Amino acid sequence: MHPAFSVILLTTLLGAGQGVFLALVTGQVYASIKLIEAQDASFYVGGSVITIILLISGLIASFFHLGRPERAWRAAAKWRTSWLSREVIILPALMILVAFYGLVHWLGWTNPLFIAGADALPIDASLVLGVIGAVLAFALFVSTAMIYANVEFIAEWHSPLTVANFTFLGLGSGFMLAAAYSAALGNHLVTFYGTWAVIFTVIGLVSRGASLLRNRHIKPKSNLQSAIGVRHRLITQRAQGFTGGSFNTREFFHHAPPAVLQRMRTSFLILVFPVPILLIAIAYVSQSATLPIIAFLLQYTGLIAERWLFFADAQHPQNLYYQSVA
Amino acid sequence: MTQLALVIDLNVCVGCHACVTSCKQWNTSGWAGPLVDENPYDAHPTGTFFNRVQMFEVGTFPNTELVHFPKSCLHCEEPPCVPVCPTGASYKREDNGVVLVDYDKCIGCKYCSWACPYGMRELDMQQQVMKKCTLCIDRITDPSLPEDRRKPACVLACPTSARLFGDVHDPDSEVSIAIRERGGYPLMPEWATKPSNHYLPRRKTRMHITEDDLRRADNPLRHEDITVYTGEETLDDVTW
Ligand code: SF4
Ligand code: SF4
């Protein structure tokens, strides 16, 4: 498949946005049961603003993928059958919830509504919004990934690993961003978020590594024999019906030499996994405020390469019909 | 239930592209506006077509055969391109099974084209909406046309009658009989798409001449044997 930059940005920005919001809510839950030190409202307000900026940037990127962005609202129609439609509904819902979450913190409506358990967990309005938002953020991970995992014709995508990759890489980059944000503010949550970022990044390495291995051994279901219905071992295309290219030759081929794919694979395997983990570890020892920020930026750059390869690796059976120009 | 479809006879298709040009002509002049063509007389011409004719060489020289392969939307009975469409622009008509795109609803997200294993959908670069074969829906449903002209443009244009059109759910239709009696097959049967269009295979035309045919054993005008008699009693000798 052709790696469209709009979709690469869309999925990586949304992933980091959902991840950083989940990090905020996780932090708030931990703080309310006094496992980590409590933060004042401005921490959550700032975090919500970062989340919304990421989600809106993703949304803007998605418009560049559409031929008719002015009609984008129509995409909410078929949520019963289409994962794309589900994503289009959940994304704005999450944005609204994050906005309210930030607003509630900003207005200081954080007096506990009631206390759950024996004096253990005070529940306030922001926590309720946060938990609903967290559910939506996970639902968004699933629907974004299912857009790809649901295309049964693209074997490289048609796997639960796709959902795992989108989720864990999104969580990894989001918690990494939360660590960077805490480092920039100079509070004590860098270690907390950094640890979670490393955990999610390692799980992401396992699942993405598994999908890379799986993709190496995929046996395509369709072949030229079944594509044109002629039983012969040797079939060569002599003409594809046109010489100048078409939608089929642009959308479904990446036209990149194997060396570029290899370079992308190596760079994402380095930039997404060992480098940020190492930087976070050094930051933990040296108490550096800049290293977590660099770790996030490098990991995000790596994720762009990861998503590029995700598309370039995908082999569509329609390519069987476009093997030779003339 | 009616399921309109094409049956394409690879045995007689000569790869002349008459179906391609007639399709383009009809569908670029209709109600949906032009089908895009960019740089048609320049380097790198490109455009949107509903129908393409490709060529595949089977075997190794000198034992080769060139198969001409017309390719257009197969109007699948279980079209995977329809449920993925977020807007409902892609749909399958209830009354005749034709799979269509509503160009006024399509947002050009290209998701349906990913979900078609055959690559039969092409995005119009100018209108930025998804296009594909409509089986000339504006011809075949037009009651003002004489009955025998209510067929897709490609079917009417084909000089070798390689393209048959009809209802594949009616067991007595021309297309159903052709599929049944001449080995009609669907493309990529490994997916659950159930294509409605079928292809008729190449067939060798062979004469079978047996020894009996050469001796003309059953010819009443055959030169009969001359029996050689060597003195034995024959019917002629019987006294009645
Ligand atoms: S051939 Fe492709 S575009 Fe046509 S109905 Fe089947 S899946 Fe859809
Ligand atoms: S490109 Fe148009 S027809 Fe295809 S899935 Fe998107 S909205 Fe539907």
Side-chain angles (χ1 to χ4, degrees):
Chain A
M1 300 293 287
H2 164 71
F5 219 62
S6 51
V7 188
I8 295 176
L9 283 180
L10 159 76
T11 53
T12 48
L13 288 170
L14 289 191
Q18 290 150 258
V20 78
F21 180 67
L22 286 164
L24 286 184
V25 178
T26 314
Q28 191 183 346
V29 172
Y30 272 64
S32 56
I33 50 178
K34 312 212 167 49
L35 285 177
I36 54 175
E37 73 183 58
Q39 299 298 316
D40 53 13
S42 66
F43 175 79
Y44 297 105
V45 176
S48 306
V49 170
I50 293 177
T51 308
I52 296 221
I53 289 174
L54 286 170
L55 296 183
I56 288 180
S57 317
L59 188 67
I60 293 172
S62 79
F63 280 116
F64 284 96
H65 182 69
L66 298 185
R68 294 289 199 128
E70 78 279 8
R71 296 178 182 167
W73 58 273
R74 286 188 179 276
K78 291 286 164 180
W79 55 272
R80 279 193 196 81
T81 57
S82 172
W83 284 102
L84 181 50
S85 196
R86 290 170 199 163
E87 184 192 36
V88 164
I89 293 171
I90 298 174
L91 176 55
L94 177 63
M95 284 176 171
I96 293 169
L97 248 130
V98 176
F100 275 113
Y101 176 81
L103 196 69
V104 162
H105 275 292
W106 192 44
L107 297 176
W109 293 347
T110 40
N111 287 328
L113 301 171
F114 57 92
I115 312 253
D119 211 12
L121 181 60
I123 310 267
D124 64 45
S126 69
L127 198 61
V128 174
L129 286 173
V131 170
I132 301 174
V135 172
L136 281 184
F138 274 111
L140 189 54
F141 273 131
V142 172
S143 30
T144 308
M146 280 306 285
I147 291 175
Y148 307 97
N150 198 38
V151 181
E152 61 168 330
F153 309 109
I154 303 178
E156 288 82 359
W157 294 352
H158 189 52
S159 151
L161 285 174
T162 303
V163 183
N165 293 338
F166 274 68
T167 308
F168 289 115
L169 296 179
L171 284 171
S173 63
F175 275 75
M176 199 67 84
L177 178 56
Y181 173 54
S182 304
L185 292 180
N187 67 28
H188 291 117
L189 296 189
V190 185
T191 316
F192 170 68
Y193 286 134
T195 312
W196 277 113
V198 169
I199 292 172
F200 288 131
T201 303
V202 169
I203 303 178
L205 173 61
V206 172
S207 72
R208 191 62 174 100
S211 75
L212 280 179
L213 284 180
R214 175 181 176 271
N215 289 355
R216 277 168 57 182
H217 300 290
I218 281 179
K219 196 165 157 286
K221 233 172 151 182
S222 294
N223 50 33
L224 209 42
Q225 281 71 23
S226 73
I228 68 168
V230 174
R231 263 189 72 94
H232 197 295
R233 278 195 306 115
L234 263 171
I235 304 177
T236 334
Q237 184 162 38
R238 290 295 175 215
Q240 60 186 12
F242 52 86
T243 50
S246 75
F247 175 72
N248 304 68
T249 59
R250 289 187 293 268
E251 178 74 4
F252 298 93
F253 293 88
H254 51 73
H255 300 293
V260 173
L261 266 80
Q262 189 53 50
R263 216 171 305 141
M264 285 286 185
R265 191 173 300 123
T266 321
S267 35
F268 102 71
L269 282 174
I270 293 172
L271 284 177
V272 177
F273 306 108
V275 169
I277 293 178
L278 204 70
L279 289 179
I280 283 288
I282 299 175
Y284 174 71
V285 181
S286 70
Q287 299 292 316
S288 156
T290 43
L291 280 185
I293 301 175
I294 299 174
F296 167 73
L297 291 177
L298 288 180
Q299 186 174 48
Y300 183 76
T301 316
L303 280 176
I304 291 181
E306 186 272 334
R307 227 32 66 86
W308 188 93
L309 195 81
F310 171 75
F311 285 97
D313 262 346
Q315 296 289 331
H316 198 286
Q318 80 102 35
N319 294 4
L320 292 167
Y321 296 103
Y322 298 93
Q323 294 295 317
S324 152
V325 176
Chain B
M1 249 281 284
T2 311
Q3 173 64 64
L4 297 177
L6 294 172
V7 170
I8 297 169
D9 190 349
L10 298 182
N11 200 36
V12 295
C13 174
V14 290
C16 70
H17 283 73
C19 53
V20 179
T21 50
S22 61
C23 165
K24 182 80 174 189
Q25 188 279 329
W26 177 264
N27 288 298
T28 206
S29 347
W31 51 274
L35 268 183
V36 60
D37 263 320
E38 287 188 352
N39 311 324
Y41 306 108
D42 247 320
H44 313 297
T46 183
T48 302
F49 285 73
F50 292 171
N51 183 27
R52 310 271 192 183
V53 177
Q54 307 188 319
M55 272 135 216
F56 294 91
E57 187 178 281
V58 179
T60 28
F61 184 81
N63 296 317
T64 51
E65 193 174 356
L66 192 64
V67 175
H68 307 292
F69 184 78
K71 172 176 179 288
S72 59
C73 170
L74 308 167
H75 298 279
C76 301
E77 302 207 27
E78 301 291 341
C81 54
V82 168
V84 300
C85 173
T87 61
S90 277
Y91 65 104
K92 186 171 175 71
R93 260 178 77 143
E94 294 284 339
D95 57 341
N96 56 19
V98 180
V99 177
L100 294 171
V101 180
D102 183 337
Y103 304 141
D104 293 329
K105 278 193 191 161
C106 174
I107 57 172
C109 69
K110 312 178 197 96
Y111 195 21
C112 55
S113 72
W114 297 1
C116 167
Y118 311 98
M120 302 304 195
R121 293 175 163 248
E122 300 189 15
L123 190 84
D124 188 308
M125 292 115 70
Q126 271 163 20
Q127 294 180 21
Q128 287 293 325
V129 294
M130 198 51 78
K131 300 251 169 128
K132 60 176 275 305
C133 163
T134 65
L135 279 181
C136 290
I137 194 75
D138 49 344
R139 286 192 68 93
I140 59 176
T141 56
D142 183 354
S144 71
L145 288 174
E147 180 107 40
D148 63 336
R149 306 296 291 172
R150 269 179 243 161
K151 287 180 176 174
C154 58
V155 174
L156 296 171
C158 179
T160 62
S161 302
R163 304 174 75 91
L164 313 176
F165 169 69
D167 175 11
V168 289
H169 280 184
D170 171 5
D172 300 321
S173 67
E174 183 192 19
V175 280
S176 295
I177 293 173
I179 295 169
R180 198 161 62 233
E181 296 183 352
R182 291 152 71 188
Y185 63 86
L187 302 182
M188 295 189 187
E190 59 271 24
W191 305 110
T193 51
K194 289 185 63 196
S196 305
N197 283 13
H198 282 69
Y199 286 76
L200 303 181
R202 278 286 172 93
R203 285 190 297 183
K204 290 275 178 285
T205 312
R206 285 210 176 83
M207 259 177 100
H208 294 281
I209 303 176
T210 62
E211 192 58 32
D212 266 8
D213 292 331
L214 284 177
R215 283 184 27 240
R216 304 209 290 172
D218 51 2
N219 188 341
L221 300 176
R222 180 172 56 103
H223 193 296
E224 288 186 24
D225 285 349
I226 313 252
T227 319
V228 183
Y229 297 107
T230 48
E232 65 271 46
E233 199 171 79
T234 70
L235 267 184
D236 294 341
D237 300 331
V238 175
T239 318
W240 298 96

